[in-house]
Amino acid sequence: MADIVLNVEVRERTGTGGSREARRGGKVPGILYGGERGPVAISVKENEFRKALYTGKLLGHLVTLKYGDESQPVIAKDIQFHPVTDNPIHFDLLRVDEAGSIRINVPVHFKNQDICPGLKMGGSLEIVRHEVELNCPANAIPEELVVDLASKELGDTIRIAEIELPAGVSPTIADRDFVIATLKVSSAAMSEAADAADA
């Protein structure tokens, strides 16, 4: 089961009025949906929600939802924040089968940029996809996809096939080896080369 537990309350009032009422009571309103049951309006105490949020493992991870004596696995699919205060103001949870699979976006991170030959030569990393949608077991969602730039040269193209995916995990785009990023000659490097040629 998941590390994070959210103790929720079912909201009697739905819509904008119900959400405002929850916020006035120091709670973050949300919606639980998916599976064979209909959507349910819920809320979580704001301090508990913030604590879960700041672990960095709330969004896009398996979470245990508790309501009284009942518990079930869910995925936090979306969190909305206030544009000024940055406080969480709404969230969406998706019911999942812990033994089943799920489609979810996983972030792509790049390592060894400081020793990348292409970047050292003045190239720039042009990221095409900051995240990739994957089919994965609900209880084994990857934290991230890592691209190692240690041996990448100018002009190299990094594709999904180069990233080692965990067992049982596959990209939802299965018909092509799509591009994650490219190492391009930066405009600054091109300008320097032109200046050197003129000299």
Side-chain angles (χ1 to χ4, degrees):
M1 206 43 119
D3 294 335
I4 295 175
V5 176
L6 287 178
N7 293 290
V8 303
E9 299 174 15
V10 173
R11 291 187 285 129
E12 297 299 327
R13 291 185 63 193
T14 58
T16 306
S19 295
R20 286 181 183 151
E21 183 180 1
R23 290 186 201 106
R24 282 196 299 270
K27 298 167 187 172
V28 182
I31 294 290
L32 172 65
Y33 66 98
E36 296 177 358
R37 287 176 285 176
V40 178
I42 55 176
S43 64
V44 177
K45 290 180 181 176
E46 186 174 359
N47 59 341
E48 287 186 23
F49 191 82
R50 283 176 174 277
K51 185 177 177 182
L53 183 61
Y54 294 148
T55 64
K57 294 186 176 183
L58 178 59
L59 191 60
H61 290 77
L62 199 64
V63 174
T64 299
L65 180 148
K66 289 198 77 173
Y67 174 62
D69 294 331
E70 296 181 33
S71 64
Q72 62 179 296
V74 297
I75 292 281
K77 291 288 283 185
D78 185 44
I79 302 171
Q80 296 167 24
F81 297 91
H82 190 281
V84 177
T85 64
D86 214 29
N87 290 330
I89 57 173
H90 195 273
F91 63 93
D92 293 344
L93 298 179
L94 174 67
R95 298 182 187 99
V96 296
D97 175 3
E98 196 173 5
S101 62
I102 188 170
R103 290 166 66 120
I104 193 164
N105 288 320
V106 174
V108 179
H109 293 141
F110 299 84
K111 69 175 185 177
N112 290 323
Q113 297 189 43
D114 55 331
I115 60 172
C116 173
L119 294 178
K120 279 188 162 186
M121 292 177 63
S124 64
L125 180 65
E126 185 174 286
I127 301 172
V128 178
R129 292 177 184 268
H130 290 274
E131 56 184 24
V132 174
E133 188 180 50
L134 301 174
N135 286 313
C136 9
N139 61 358
I141 300 169
E143 297 270 338
E144 60 182 357
L145 300 181
V146 179
V147 176
D148 191 350
L149 299 174
S151 62
K152 298 301 178 185
E153 305 281 353
L154 274 177
D156 282 357
T157 298
I158 301 153
R159 297 180 179 274
I160 187 63
E162 294 180 45
I163 301 177
E164 188 174 344
L165 299 175
V169 175
S170 61
T172 56
I173 299 174
D175 60 346
R176 65 184 189 279
D177 189 12
F178 55 88
V179 175
I180 301 294
T182 57
L183 272 169
K184 292 194 169 183
V185 179
S186 68
S187 55
M190 289 177 68
S191 179
E192 285 178 16
D195 290 345
D198 290 341

